[in-house]
C-alpha cells in the first residue's frame, strides 16, 4: 500500500495504476477533476491503453458529467475515437452514492479515497479481496446509471 495526501500524489498513483492495468480500468468519482484526465501525458497514456487492443475496457462513472464533457476535450476525443473501449456514464441521481471514490485495475489493483472531495487515499497494487468488493459496488452503480455520455452532439 502506498498512501498519498495531495492532488499530485493522487495523480501519480493513478498514473502508476494505469501503467499496470492490462485489461479493465474502472473509475468512480464525483467529476474526475482531481485525476486531471485531460493532461496531455495522461491522455496519451489512456490512448496507448486503448490502442493496445486485446479487449481492453475503460469505464468512467461520475456523479457530475457536465464539467467533464465541457472541460475535457482530450477525453472527449478519446471517447469519439475509442467508443468501443471507453464508456462514460453519470450515476443515478436518485440512488444513494458512496462517499468514497475509487479506481479499479483489473481484478487486483485499486486506488481508494475515503472521501470523493479529498485527494487523501491509498494505492493498493495487489488486494484482490477488496478489489472484488469494490467491483461489485461499481457494477451496481454502473447498471443503475441512466445517462451515457456521447462524444458527438447528437449522440451518434
Amino acid at each position: 500500500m502506498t498512501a498519498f495526501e495531495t492532488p499530485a500524489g493522487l495523480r501519480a498513483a493513478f498514473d502508476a495504476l494505469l501503467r499496470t492495468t492490462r485489461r479493465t480500468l474502472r473509475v468512480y468519482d464525483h467529476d474526475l477533476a482531481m485525476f486531471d484526465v485531460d493532461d496531455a501525458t495522461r491522455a496519451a497514456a489512456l490512448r496507448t491503453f486503448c490502442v493496445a487492443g486485446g479487449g481492453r475496457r475503460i469505464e468512467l462513472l461520475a456523479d457530475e458529467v457536465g464539467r467533464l464533457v465541457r472541460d475535457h476535450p482530450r477525453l472527449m476525443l478519446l471517447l469519439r475515437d475509442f467508443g468501443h473501449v471507453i464508456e462514460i456514464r453519470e450515476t443515478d441521481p436518485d440512488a444513494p452514492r458512496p462517499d468514497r471514490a475509487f479506481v479499479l485495475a483489473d481484478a487486483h489493483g485499486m486506488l481508494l479515497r475515503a472521501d470523493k472531495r479529498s485527494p487523501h487515499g491509498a494505492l493498493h497494487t495487489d488486494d484482490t479481496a477488496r478489489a472484488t468488493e469494490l467491483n461489485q459496488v461499481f457494477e451496481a452503480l454502473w447498471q443503475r446509471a441512466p445517462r451515457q455520455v456521447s462524444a458527438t452532439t447528437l449522440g451518434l
Side-chain angles (χ1 to χ4, degrees), residues 37-116:
V37 292
D38 226 51
D39 171 75
T41 304
R42 199 159 292 108
L46 289 168
R47 179 174 289 279
T48 299
F49 181 84
C50 291
V51 299
R56 292 181 182 223
R57 186 95 178 122
I58 299 174
E59 296 174 341
L60 305 174
L61 184 62
D63 295 335
E64 303 281 335
V65 296
R67 183 172 170 218
L68 182 70
V69 171
R70 186 182 63 247
D71 297 340
H72 293 84
R74 288 186 179 110
L75 181 61
M76 292 299 104
L77 284 174
L78 285 172
L79 180 61
R80 184 197 70 195
D81 295 345
F82 300 100
H84 61 289
V85 176
I86 300 174
E87 188 173 350
I88 303 171
R89 293 186 186 180
E90 184 174 33
T91 56
D92 182 352
D94 298 325
R97 302 177 210 170
D99 291 331
R100 61 187 171 183
F102 50 88
V103 179
L104 300 163
D106 300 322
H108 54 81
M110 75 184 134
L111 184 154
L112 182 60
R113 293 177 13 241
D115 181 0
K116 289 184 274 193

Side-chain angles (χ1 to χ4, degrees), residues 13-21 103-105 109-111 123-124:
F14 179 77
D15 293 341
L17 193 61
L18 179 58
R19 282 191 300 275
T20 65
T21 304
V103 179
L104 300 163
M110 75 184 134
L111 184 154
L123 172 65
H124 303 267

